[in-house]
Amino acid sequence: MKKLLILGFLLLLAGCARDNDLEIRIMVPGGATAIAHIHVQGSEVYLGANVSYSVDVRQGRDPLVAAFTSQTHDIVIAPFDLGAQLYNLGSFNYQLAAIVTFGNLFLATVMEEEFTLESLEGRDIILFGQNSVPDIVVRTALEGITPNQIRYVNAAGDAQAELVLDNSNIVLLAEPSLSVAQRLVPGLQTIDLQEAFYQKTGHNYPQAGVFISNNLIDNHPEVVRKYLEAVRNSTVEVNKNPAEAARLAVELEFGFPEAVLVTAIPRSNIGFQTPQESMEDIVFLLNRILALNPALLSGRLPSEALYHVQK
Protein backbone atom coordinates (compact mmCIF):
# COMPACT_ATOMS: atom_id res chain seq x y z
CA MET A 1 0.00 0.00 0.00
CA LYS A 2 2.83 2.36 0.92
CA LYS A 3 4.56 1.64 -2.39
CA LEU A 4 1.33 2.38 -4.27
CA LEU A 5 0.98 5.72 -2.48
CA ILE A 6 4.57 6.67 -3.35
CA LEU A 7 4.06 5.63 -6.96
CA GLY A 8 0.87 7.66 -7.14
CA PHE A 9 2.64 10.68 -5.66
CA LEU A 10 5.46 10.40 -8.22
CA LEU A 11 2.96 10.13 -11.07
CA LEU A 12 1.16 13.18 -9.73
CA LEU A 13 4.44 15.12 -9.70
CA ALA A 14 5.20 14.03 -13.23
CA GLY A 15 1.75 15.13 -14.32
CA CYS A 16 2.24 18.52 -12.68
CA ALA A 17 5.60 18.92 -14.40
CA ARG A 18 3.97 18.22 -17.73
CA ASP A 19 1.22 20.69 -16.94
CA ASN A 20 3.86 23.35 -16.29
CA ASP A 21 5.79 22.70 -19.52
CA LEU A 22 5.92 25.66 -21.89
CA GLU A 23 6.52 24.98 -25.58
CA ILE A 24 7.19 28.13 -27.59
CA ARG A 25 6.75 28.20 -31.36
CA ILE A 26 8.77 30.79 -33.29
CA MET A 27 8.46 31.73 -36.96
CA VAL A 28 11.25 33.53 -38.81
CA PRO A 29 11.44 34.58 -42.48
CA GLY A 30 14.43 33.34 -44.45
CA GLY A 31 17.38 35.53 -45.43
CA ALA A 32 19.02 38.18 -43.28
CA THR A 33 16.36 37.95 -40.57
CA ALA A 34 16.94 34.23 -40.07
CA ILE A 35 20.67 34.93 -39.89
CA ALA A 36 20.09 37.50 -37.12
CA HIS A 37 18.26 34.80 -35.14
CA ILE A 38 20.62 31.95 -36.01
CA HIS A 39 22.31 31.47 -32.64
CA VAL A 40 18.88 31.03 -31.05
CA GLN A 41 17.86 28.47 -33.65
CA GLY A 42 21.20 26.69 -33.73
CA SER A 43 21.74 26.50 -29.98
CA GLU A 44 19.74 25.26 -27.01
CA VAL A 45 19.17 28.59 -25.32
CA TYR A 46 17.95 28.27 -21.73
CA LEU A 47 14.68 30.14 -21.29
CA GLY A 48 13.61 28.60 -17.99
CA ALA A 49 12.80 25.29 -16.35
CA ASN A 50 10.46 23.14 -18.47
CA VAL A 51 10.61 25.70 -21.32
CA SER A 52 11.35 24.50 -24.85
CA TYR A 53 11.09 26.13 -28.25
CA SER A 54 11.09 25.34 -31.94
CA VAL A 55 11.90 27.61 -34.89
CA ASP A 56 10.13 27.49 -38.26
CA VAL A 57 11.92 29.29 -41.11
CA ARG A 58 9.54 30.27 -43.92
CA GLN A 59 9.83 32.18 -47.19
CA GLY A 60 7.54 35.07 -48.16
CA ARG A 61 4.95 37.12 -46.32
CA ASP A 62 1.98 34.74 -46.56
CA PRO A 63 3.16 32.29 -43.85
CA LEU A 64 3.88 35.25 -41.54
CA VAL A 65 0.39 36.67 -42.07
CA ALA A 66 -1.11 33.25 -41.41
CA ALA A 67 0.93 32.86 -38.21
CA PHE A 68 -0.25 36.25 -36.94
CA THR A 69 -3.92 35.81 -37.82
CA SER A 70 -4.25 32.21 -36.65
CA GLN A 71 -1.92 32.75 -33.67
CA THR A 72 -0.17 29.45 -34.33
CA HIS A 73 3.15 30.90 -33.13
CA ASP A 74 4.03 32.64 -29.89
CA ILE A 75 6.77 34.70 -31.54
CA VAL A 76 6.84 35.91 -35.14
CA ILE A 77 9.78 37.80 -36.59
CA ALA A 78 8.44 39.74 -39.54
CA PRO A 79 8.82 42.93 -41.57
CA PHE A 80 8.03 45.79 -39.25
CA ASP A 81 5.54 47.33 -41.68
CA LEU A 82 3.59 44.04 -41.88
CA GLY A 83 3.11 44.01 -38.11
CA ALA A 84 2.06 47.67 -38.09
CA GLN A 85 -0.36 47.03 -40.95
CA LEU A 86 -2.01 44.05 -39.27
CA TYR A 87 -2.17 45.89 -35.94
CA ASN A 88 -4.12 48.71 -37.53
CA LEU A 89 -6.55 46.22 -39.06
CA GLY A 90 -7.50 45.12 -35.52
CA SER A 91 -7.44 41.85 -33.54
CA PHE A 92 -3.63 41.80 -33.50
CA ASN A 93 -2.50 39.91 -30.41
CA TYR A 94 1.22 40.68 -30.55
CA GLN A 95 3.56 43.45 -29.47
CA LEU A 96 6.74 44.65 -31.14
CA ALA A 97 9.58 43.77 -28.75
CA ALA A 98 12.70 44.50 -30.82
CA ILE A 99 14.10 45.49 -34.20
CA VAL A 100 16.76 43.07 -35.49
CA THR A 101 17.53 44.18 -39.07
CA PHE A 102 17.86 47.67 -40.44
CA GLY A 103 17.81 47.21 -44.20
CA ASN A 104 19.63 45.06 -46.75
CA LEU A 105 18.49 46.64 -50.02
CA PHE A 106 20.72 47.55 -52.97
CA LEU A 107 20.26 48.68 -56.55
CA ALA A 108 22.50 46.71 -58.89
CA THR A 109 23.56 46.75 -62.55
CA VAL A 110 26.50 46.59 -64.93
CA MET A 111 27.27 49.86 -66.71
CA GLU A 112 30.35 51.51 -68.12
CA GLU A 113 29.97 54.80 -66.27
CA GLU A 114 29.86 55.33 -62.51
CA PHE A 115 26.69 53.95 -60.94
CA THR A 116 25.19 56.61 -58.66
CA LEU A 117 21.73 57.85 -57.76
CA GLU A 118 22.21 60.69 -60.24
CA SER A 119 22.93 58.17 -63.02
CA LEU A 120 19.37 56.85 -62.58
CA GLU A 121 17.93 59.98 -64.19
CA GLY A 122 15.94 58.88 -67.25
CA ARG A 123 16.70 55.16 -66.71
CA ASP A 124 14.40 52.17 -66.40
CA ILE A 125 14.43 50.48 -62.97
CA ILE A 126 13.06 47.10 -61.91
CA LEU A 127 11.78 46.83 -58.32
CA PHE A 128 9.99 44.31 -56.14
CA GLY A 129 7.69 45.01 -53.19
CA GLN A 130 5.37 47.52 -54.82
CA ASN A 131 3.74 49.83 -52.24
CA SER A 132 5.67 48.21 -49.39
CA VAL A 133 8.78 49.35 -47.50
CA PRO A 134 11.33 48.40 -50.22
CA ASP A 135 9.38 50.51 -52.68
CA ILE A 136 9.14 53.40 -50.22
CA VAL A 137 12.87 53.24 -49.46
CA VAL A 138 13.72 53.44 -53.17
CA ARG A 139 11.26 56.26 -53.82
CA THR A 140 12.68 58.19 -50.88
CA ALA A 141 16.25 57.72 -52.13
CA LEU A 142 15.18 58.85 -55.62
CA GLU A 143 13.56 62.11 -54.53
CA GLY A 144 14.75 64.78 -56.99
CA ILE A 145 15.60 62.14 -59.60
CA THR A 146 13.17 61.11 -62.36
CA PRO A 147 13.61 57.61 -63.80
CA ASN A 148 12.16 56.89 -67.21
CA GLN A 149 10.09 53.97 -65.98
CA ILE A 150 9.73 51.88 -62.84
CA ARG A 151 8.63 48.31 -63.48
CA TYR A 152 7.61 46.00 -60.65
CA VAL A 153 8.15 42.26 -60.41
CA ASN A 154 6.63 39.92 -57.86
CA ALA A 155 9.65 39.03 -55.74
CA ALA A 156 13.36 39.57 -55.19
CA GLY A 157 14.13 36.36 -57.05
CA ASP A 158 12.38 37.71 -60.14
CA ALA A 159 14.48 40.88 -59.99
CA GLN A 160 17.65 38.79 -59.77
CA ALA A 161 16.53 36.77 -62.81
CA GLU A 162 16.05 40.01 -64.79
CA LEU A 163 19.62 41.01 -63.97
CA VAL A 164 21.09 37.66 -64.97
CA LEU A 165 19.09 37.76 -68.22
CA ASP A 166 20.36 41.26 -69.08
CA ASN A 167 23.09 42.70 -66.87
CA SER A 168 22.35 46.23 -68.08
CA ASN A 169 19.03 46.10 -66.22
CA ILE A 170 18.94 48.19 -63.04
CA VAL A 171 17.29 46.05 -60.38
CA LEU A 172 16.50 46.08 -56.69
CA LEU A 173 18.15 43.24 -54.76
CA ALA A 174 18.34 42.25 -51.10
CA GLU A 175 21.06 40.34 -49.31
CA PRO A 176 21.87 37.45 -49.56
CA SER A 177 20.54 37.55 -53.16
CA LEU A 178 22.94 40.39 -53.97
CA SER A 179 25.95 38.25 -53.02
CA VAL A 180 24.58 35.44 -55.22
CA ALA A 181 24.16 37.88 -58.12
CA GLN A 182 27.73 39.10 -57.76
CA ARG A 183 28.92 35.56 -58.41
CA LEU A 184 26.73 35.26 -61.50
CA VAL A 185 27.23 38.72 -63.02
CA PRO A 186 30.85 39.93 -63.36
CA GLY A 187 31.44 43.65 -62.90
CA LEU A 188 28.27 44.26 -60.91
CA GLN A 189 27.98 47.75 -59.43
CA THR A 190 25.71 48.60 -56.51
CA ILE A 191 24.07 51.48 -54.67
CA ASP A 192 23.59 50.98 -50.93
CA LEU A 193 20.00 52.11 -50.32
CA GLN A 194 20.40 52.16 -46.54
CA GLU A 195 23.10 54.80 -46.93
CA ALA A 196 21.05 56.65 -49.56
CA PHE A 197 17.98 56.65 -47.31
CA TYR A 198 20.02 57.98 -44.39
CA GLN A 199 21.63 60.70 -46.51
CA LYS A 200 18.19 61.89 -47.67
CA THR A 201 16.40 61.69 -44.33
CA GLY A 202 18.89 61.51 -41.45
CA HIS A 203 17.17 58.29 -40.34
CA ASN A 204 17.80 54.58 -40.51
CA TYR A 205 14.78 52.45 -41.22
CA PRO A 206 13.60 49.47 -39.17
CA GLN A 207 13.18 46.44 -41.37
CA ALA A 208 12.36 43.30 -39.35
CA GLY A 209 10.88 43.19 -35.87
CA VAL A 210 10.36 40.59 -33.14
CA PHE A 211 6.63 40.33 -32.38
CA ILE A 212 5.69 38.45 -29.22
CA SER A 213 2.19 37.29 -28.32
CA ASN A 214 0.34 39.14 -25.59
CA ASN A 215 -0.28 35.80 -23.89
CA LEU A 216 3.43 35.06 -23.60
CA ILE A 217 4.20 38.61 -22.44
CA ASP A 218 1.44 38.61 -19.82
CA ASN A 219 1.96 35.12 -18.41
CA HIS A 220 5.69 34.50 -18.86
CA PRO A 221 7.53 37.84 -18.65
CA GLU A 222 10.78 36.23 -17.43
CA VAL A 223 10.80 33.86 -20.41
CA VAL A 224 10.29 36.83 -22.72
CA ARG A 225 13.18 38.67 -21.07
CA LYS A 226 15.51 35.70 -21.48
CA TYR A 227 14.44 35.17 -25.08
CA LEU A 228 15.09 38.80 -26.03
CA GLU A 229 18.48 38.64 -24.37
CA ALA A 230 19.25 35.54 -26.42
CA VAL A 231 18.25 37.34 -29.62
CA ARG A 232 20.41 40.33 -28.69
CA ASN A 233 23.35 38.00 -28.07
CA SER A 234 22.73 36.29 -31.41
CA THR A 235 22.95 39.56 -33.33
CA VAL A 236 26.18 40.44 -31.52
CA GLU A 237 27.74 37.07 -32.31
CA VAL A 238 26.66 37.20 -35.96
CA ASN A 239 28.40 40.53 -36.45
CA LYS A 240 31.45 39.46 -34.45
CA ASN A 241 31.95 36.24 -36.40
CA PRO A 242 30.14 36.16 -39.78
CA ALA A 243 32.06 33.04 -40.83
CA GLU A 244 30.68 31.04 -37.89
CA ALA A 245 27.16 32.32 -38.58
CA ALA A 246 27.54 31.33 -42.23
CA ARG A 247 28.77 27.86 -41.27
CA LEU A 248 25.81 27.39 -38.93
CA ALA A 249 23.37 28.62 -41.62
CA VAL A 250 24.67 25.98 -44.04
CA GLU A 251 24.37 23.35 -41.32
CA LEU A 252 20.74 24.41 -40.79
CA GLU A 253 20.12 24.25 -44.56
CA PHE A 254 19.29 27.91 -45.10
CA GLY A 255 19.81 27.44 -48.83
CA PHE A 256 22.81 29.68 -49.52
CA PRO A 257 26.46 28.69 -49.96
CA GLU A 258 28.75 29.48 -47.05
CA ALA A 259 30.94 31.83 -49.12
CA VAL A 260 27.87 33.83 -50.19
CA LEU A 261 26.73 34.28 -46.61
CA VAL A 262 30.17 35.38 -45.42
CA THR A 263 29.91 38.23 -47.95
CA ALA A 264 26.25 38.97 -47.31
CA ILE A 265 26.20 39.14 -43.49
CA PRO A 266 28.26 42.36 -43.08
CA ARG A 267 25.93 44.09 -45.56
CA SER A 268 22.72 42.90 -43.90
CA ASN A 269 22.66 45.56 -41.15
CA ILE A 270 21.88 43.11 -38.38
CA GLY A 271 21.56 44.54 -34.88
CA PHE A 272 19.25 44.77 -31.89
CA GLN A 273 17.25 47.72 -30.61
CA THR A 274 14.18 47.94 -28.41
CA PRO A 275 11.20 49.80 -29.85
CA GLN A 276 12.00 52.68 -27.53
CA GLU A 277 15.58 52.88 -28.85
CA SER A 278 14.30 52.85 -32.44
CA MET A 279 11.22 55.01 -31.90
CA GLU A 280 12.39 58.09 -33.83
CA ASP A 281 13.22 55.94 -36.86
CA ILE A 282 10.00 53.93 -36.46
CA VAL A 283 7.82 57.04 -36.42
CA PHE A 284 9.69 58.56 -39.34
CA LEU A 285 9.22 55.44 -41.46
CA LEU A 286 5.55 55.18 -40.53
CA ASN A 287 5.02 58.80 -41.54
CA ARG A 288 6.79 58.14 -44.87
CA ILE A 289 4.39 55.24 -45.44
CA LEU A 290 1.42 57.47 -44.62
CA ALA A 291 2.69 60.11 -47.03
CA LEU A 292 3.34 57.73 -49.93
CA ASN A 293 0.84 54.92 -49.34
CA PRO A 294 -1.56 55.67 -46.45
CA ALA A 295 -3.76 52.65 -47.23
CA LEU A 296 -0.92 50.39 -46.08
CA LEU A 297 -1.54 51.60 -42.50
CA SER A 298 -5.28 52.20 -42.79
CA GLY A 299 -4.48 55.92 -42.80
CA ARG A 300 -3.16 56.22 -39.24
CA LEU A 301 -0.21 55.59 -36.96
CA PRO A 302 -0.41 52.53 -34.69
CA SER A 303 -1.07 53.30 -31.04
CA GLU A 304 1.54 52.91 -28.30
CA ALA A 305 -0.02 49.58 -27.36
CA LEU A 306 1.83 48.00 -30.32
CA TYR A 307 5.17 48.51 -28.58
CA HIS A 308 6.38 46.24 -25.79
CA VAL A 309 8.08 47.86 -22.81
CA GLN A 310 10.49 45.56 -20.99
CA LYS A 311 9.78 45.55 -17.24
Side-chain angles (χ1 to χ4, degrees), residues 36-37 40 77 98 100 210 226-236 271-272:
H37 194 260
V40 178
I77 304 183
V100 292
V210 178
K226 289 178 179 177
Y227 169 75
L228 291 174
E229 188 61 29
V231 175
R232 182 191 293 275
N233 291 339
S234 179
T235 63
V236 170
F272 184 100

PDB file of all heavy atoms in Angstrom, residues 36-37 40 77 98 100 210 226-236 271-272:
ATOM      1  N   ALA A  36      20.051  36.753 -38.383  1.00  0.00           N
ATOM      2  CA  ALA A  36      20.088  37.500 -37.122  1.00  0.00           C
ATOM      3  C   ALA A  36      19.702  36.615 -35.944  1.00  0.00           C
ATOM      4  O   ALA A  36      20.211  36.770 -34.832  1.00  0.00           O
ATOM      5  CB  ALA A  36      19.159  38.710 -37.202  1.00  0.00           C
ATOM      6  N   HIS A  37      18.835  35.658 -36.178  1.00  0.00           N
ATOM      7  CA  HIS A  37      18.263  34.796 -35.144  1.00  0.00           C
ATOM      8  C   HIS A  37      19.002  33.460 -35.039  1.00  0.00           C
ATOM      9  O   HIS A  37      18.628  32.595 -34.247  1.00  0.00           O
ATOM     10  CB  HIS A  37      16.785  34.563 -35.501  1.00  0.00           C
ATOM     11  CG  HIS A  37      15.939  33.978 -34.427  1.00  0.00           C
ATOM     12  ND1 HIS A  37      15.608  32.643 -34.388  1.00  0.00           N
ATOM     13  CD2 HIS A  37      15.343  34.532 -33.346  1.00  0.00           C
ATOM     14  CE1 HIS A  37      14.830  32.400 -33.350  1.00  0.00           C
ATOM     15  NE2 HIS A  37      14.648  33.525 -32.694  1.00  0.00           N
ATOM     16  N   VAL A  40      20.017  31.538 -31.833  1.00  0.00           N
ATOM     17  CA  VAL A  40      18.882  31.028 -31.049  1.00  0.00           C
ATOM     18  C   VAL A  40      18.412  29.715 -31.653  1.00  0.00           C
ATOM     19  O   VAL A  40      18.159  28.736 -30.943  1.00  0.00           O
ATOM     20  CB  VAL A  40      17.733  32.050 -31.001  1.00  0.00           C
ATOM     21  CG1 VAL A  40      16.539  31.486 -30.235  1.00  0.00           C
ATOM     22  CG2 VAL A  40      18.199  33.351 -30.369  1.00  0.00           C
ATOM     23  N   ILE A  77       8.884  36.746 -36.127  1.00  0.00           N
ATOM     24  CA  ILE A  77       9.785  37.800 -36.587  1.00  0.00           C
ATOM     25  C   ILE A  77       9.373  38.122 -38.018  1.00  0.00           C
ATOM     26  O   ILE A  77       9.306  37.225 -38.867  1.00  0.00           O
ATOM     27  CB  ILE A  77      11.252  37.372 -36.497  1.00  0.00           C
ATOM     28  CG1 ILE A  77      11.578  36.953 -35.057  1.00  0.00           C
ATOM     29  CG2 ILE A  77      12.167  38.495 -36.940  1.00  0.00           C
ATOM     30  CD1 ILE A  77      13.017  36.571 -34.820  1.00  0.00           C
ATOM     31  N   ALA A  98      11.348  44.136 -30.408  1.00  0.00           N
ATOM     32  CA  ALA A  98      12.703  44.500 -30.823  1.00  0.00           C
ATOM     33  C   ALA A  98      12.754  44.659 -32.336  1.00  0.00           C
ATOM     34  O   ALA A  98      11.923  44.095 -33.057  1.00  0.00           O
ATOM     35  CB  ALA A  98      13.719  43.443 -30.387  1.00  0.00           C
ATOM     36  N   VAL A 100      15.539  43.867 -35.365  1.00  0.00           N
ATOM     37  CA  VAL A 100      16.763  43.073 -35.491  1.00  0.00           C
ATOM     38  C   VAL A 100      17.475  43.223 -36.833  1.00  0.00           C
ATOM     39  O   VAL A 100      18.614  42.774 -36.969  1.00  0.00           O
ATOM     40  CB  VAL A 100      16.489  41.581 -35.226  1.00  0.00           C
ATOM     41  CG1 VAL A 100      16.134  41.357 -33.762  1.00  0.00           C
ATOM     42  CG2 VAL A 100      15.401  41.037 -36.139  1.00  0.00           C
ATOM     43  N   VAL A 210      10.748  41.762 -33.936  1.00  0.00           N
ATOM     44  CA  VAL A 210      10.356  40.593 -33.145  1.00  0.00           C
ATOM     45  C   VAL A 210       8.999  40.897 -32.513  1.00  0.00           C
ATOM     46  O   VAL A 210       8.887  41.794 -31.669  1.00  0.00           O
ATOM     47  CB  VAL A 210      11.392  40.288 -32.051  1.00  0.00           C
ATOM     48  CG1 VAL A 210      10.944  39.088 -31.213  1.00  0.00           C
ATOM     49  CG2 VAL A 210      12.765  40.041 -32.663  1.00  0.00           C
ATOM     50  N   LYS A 226      14.383  36.562 -21.142  1.00  0.00           N
ATOM     51  CA  LYS A 226      15.511  35.696 -21.485  1.00  0.00           C
ATOM     52  C   LYS A 226      15.594  35.480 -22.997  1.00  0.00           C
ATOM     53  O   LYS A 226      16.686  35.425 -23.574  1.00  0.00           O
ATOM     54  CB  LYS A 226      15.384  34.352 -20.760  1.00  0.00           C
ATOM     55  CG  LYS A 226      15.619  34.449 -19.261  1.00  0.00           C
ATOM     56  CD  LYS A 226      15.434  33.094 -18.583  1.00  0.00           C
ATOM     57  CE  LYS A 226      15.695  33.211 -17.086  1.00  0.00           C
ATOM     58  NZ  LYS A 226      15.448  31.935 -16.368  1.00  0.00           N
ATOM     59  N   TYR A 227      14.440  35.355 -23.631  1.00  0.00           N
ATOM     60  CA  TYR A 227      14.441  35.171 -25.082  1.00  0.00           C
ATOM     61  C   TYR A 227      15.012  36.399 -25.788  1.00  0.00           C
ATOM     62  O   TYR A 227      15.864  36.272 -26.680  1.00  0.00           O
ATOM     63  CB  TYR A 227      13.029  34.894 -25.589  1.00  0.00           C
ATOM     64  CG  TYR A 227      12.935  34.962 -27.095  1.00  0.00           C
ATOM     65  CD1 TYR A 227      13.439  33.925 -27.877  1.00  0.00           C
ATOM     66  CD2 TYR A 227      12.384  36.070 -27.724  1.00  0.00           C
ATOM     67  CE1 TYR A 227      13.391  33.994 -29.257  1.00  0.00           C
ATOM     68  CE2 TYR A 227      12.332  36.140 -29.104  1.00  0.00           C
ATOM     69  CZ  TYR A 227      12.831  35.109 -29.867  1.00  0.00           C
ATOM     70  OH  TYR A 227      12.793  35.190 -31.237  1.00  0.00           O
ATOM     71  N   LEU A 228      14.585  37.582 -25.396  1.00  0.00           N
ATOM     72  CA  LEU A 228      15.085  38.799 -26.029  1.00  0.00           C
ATOM     73  C   LEU A 228      16.578  38.973 -25.794  1.00  0.00           C
ATOM     74  O   LEU A 228      17.305  39.436 -26.680  1.00  0.00           O
ATOM     75  CB  LEU A 228      14.309  40.020 -25.525  1.00  0.00           C
ATOM     76  CG  LEU A 228      12.848  40.100 -25.978  1.00  0.00           C
ATOM     77  CD1 LEU A 228      12.142  41.271 -25.300  1.00  0.00           C
ATOM     78  CD2 LEU A 228      12.761  40.235 -27.494  1.00  0.00           C
ATOM     79  N   GLU A 229      17.043  38.582 -24.637  1.00  0.00           N
ATOM     80  CA  GLU A 229      18.481  38.643 -24.371  1.00  0.00           C
ATOM     81  C   GLU A 229      19.232  37.670 -25.273  1.00  0.00           C
ATOM     82  O   GLU A 229      20.323  37.984 -25.772  1.00  0.00           O
ATOM     83  CB  GLU A 229      18.760  38.315 -22.903  1.00  0.00           C
ATOM     84  CG  GLU A 229      20.206  38.536 -22.482  1.00  0.00           C
ATOM     85  CD  GLU A 229      20.659  39.981 -22.624  1.00  0.00           C
ATOM     86  OE1 GLU A 229      19.821  40.900 -22.510  1.00  0.00           O
ATOM     87  OE2 GLU A 229      21.872  40.182 -22.852  1.00  0.00           O
ATOM     88  N   ALA A 230      18.638  36.509 -25.514  1.00  0.00           N
ATOM     89  CA  ALA A 230      19.254  35.540 -26.416  1.00  0.00           C
ATOM     90  C   ALA A 230      19.303  36.071 -27.848  1.00  0.00           C
ATOM     91  O   ALA A 230      20.295  35.859 -28.565  1.00  0.00           O
ATOM     92  CB  ALA A 230      18.489  34.220 -26.368  1.00  0.00           C
ATOM     93  N   VAL A 231      18.254  36.756 -28.273  1.00  0.00           N
ATOM     94  CA  VAL A 231      18.252  37.341 -29.620  1.00  0.00           C
ATOM     95  C   VAL A 231      19.300  38.448 -29.718  1.00  0.00           C
ATOM     96  O   VAL A 231      20.035  38.540 -30.714  1.00  0.00           O
ATOM     97  CB  VAL A 231      16.854  37.886 -29.977  1.00  0.00           C
ATOM     98  CG1 VAL A 231      16.885  38.598 -31.330  1.00  0.00           C
ATOM     99  CG2 VAL A 231      15.832  36.756 -30.009  1.00  0.00           C
ATOM    100  N   ARG A 232      19.377  39.286 -28.698  1.00  0.00           N
ATOM    101  CA  ARG A 232      20.409  40.333 -28.687  1.00  0.00           C
ATOM    102  C   ARG A 232      21.806  39.704 -28.809  1.00  0.00           C
ATOM    103  O   ARG A 232      22.629  40.160 -29.612  1.00  0.00           O
ATOM    104  CB  ARG A 232      20.314  41.159 -27.402  1.00  0.00           C
ATOM    105  CG  ARG A 232      21.331  42.310 -27.352  1.00  0.00           C
ATOM    106  CD  ARG A 232      21.390  42.921 -25.964  1.00  0.00           C
ATOM    107  NE  ARG A 232      20.163  43.601 -25.608  1.00  0.00           N
ATOM    108  CZ  ARG A 232      19.881  44.864 -25.929  1.00  0.00           C
ATOM    109  NH1 ARG A 232      20.763  45.578 -26.620  1.00  0.00           N
ATOM    110  NH2 ARG A 232      18.745  45.407 -25.544  1.00  0.00           N
ATOM    111  N   ASN A 233      22.055  38.671 -28.024  1.00  0.00           N
ATOM    112  CA  ASN A 233      23.350  38.003 -28.075  1.00  0.00           C
ATOM    113  C   ASN A 233      23.616  37.396 -29.450  1.00  0.00           C
ATOM    114  O   ASN A 233      24.757  37.410 -29.939  1.00  0.00           O
ATOM    115  CB  ASN A 233      23.434  36.913 -27.003  1.00  0.00           C
ATOM    116  CG  ASN A 233      23.483  37.481 -25.599  1.00  0.00           C
ATOM    117  OD1 ASN A 233      23.834  38.641 -25.397  1.00  0.00           O
ATOM    118  ND2 ASN A 233      23.113  36.674 -24.623  1.00  0.00           N
ATOM    119  N   SER A 234      22.569  36.859 -30.076  1.00  0.00           N
ATOM    120  CA  SER A 234      22.728  36.285 -31.407  1.00  0.00           C
ATOM    121  C   SER A 234      23.177  37.336 -32.413  1.00  0.00           C
ATOM    122  O   SER A 234      24.097  37.091 -33.212  1.00  0.00           O
ATOM    123  CB  SER A 234      21.414  35.650 -31.875  1.00  0.00           C
ATOM    124  OG  SER A 234      21.550  35.109 -33.174  1.00  0.00           O
ATOM    125  N   THR A 235      22.560  38.506 -32.380  1.00  0.00           N
ATOM    126  CA  THR A 235      22.949  39.557 -33.334  1.00  0.00           C
ATOM    127  C   THR A 235      24.386  40.011 -33.092  1.00  0.00           C
ATOM    128  O   THR A 235      25.124  40.282 -34.045  1.00  0.00           O
ATOM    129  CB  THR A 235      22.002  40.766 -33.245  1.00  0.00           C
ATOM    130  OG1 THR A 235      22.081  41.374 -31.945  1.00  0.00           O
ATOM    131  CG2 THR A 235      20.553  40.359 -33.521  1.00  0.00           C
ATOM    132  N   VAL A 236      24.790  40.058 -31.835  1.00  0.00           N
ATOM    133  CA  VAL A 236      26.175  40.436 -31.518  1.00  0.00           C
ATOM    134  C   VAL A 236      27.146  39.404 -32.072  1.00  0.00           C
ATOM    135  O   VAL A 236      28.161  39.745 -32.704  1.00  0.00           O
ATOM    136  CB  VAL A 236      26.352  40.611 -29.993  1.00  0.00           C
ATOM    137  CG1 VAL A 236      27.830  40.760 -29.645  1.00  0.00           C
ATOM    138  CG2 VAL A 236      25.566  41.813 -29.496  1.00  0.00           C
ATOM    139  N   GLY A 271      21.319  43.926 -36.181  1.00  0.00           N
ATOM    140  CA  GLY A 271      21.563  44.543 -34.880  1.00  0.00           C
ATOM    141  C   GLY A 271      20.384  44.284 -33.971  1.00  0.00           C
ATOM    142  O   GLY A 271      19.498  43.483 -34.289  1.00  0.00           O
ATOM    143  N   PHE A 272      20.354  44.950 -32.838  1.00  0.00           N
ATOM    144  CA  PHE A 272      19.250  44.771 -31.889  1.00  0.00           C
ATOM    145  C   PHE A 272      18.952  46.101 -31.220  1.00  0.00           C
ATOM    146  O   PHE A 272      19.846  46.731 -30.629  1.00  0.00           O
ATOM    147  CB  PHE A 272      19.604  43.740 -30.821  1.00  0.00           C
ATOM    148  CG  PHE A 272      18.486  43.424 -29.859  1.00  0.00           C
ATOM    149  CD1 PHE A 272      17.729  42.279 -30.019  1.00  0.00           C
ATOM    150  CD2 PHE A 272      18.190  44.271 -28.801  1.00  0.00           C
ATOM    151  CE1 PHE A 272      16.699  41.978 -29.126  1.00  0.00           C
ATOM    152  CE2 PHE A 272      17.167  43.985 -27.917  1.00  0.00           C
ATOM    153  CZ  PHE A 272      16.415  42.841 -28.081  1.00  0.00           C
TER     154      PHE A 272
END
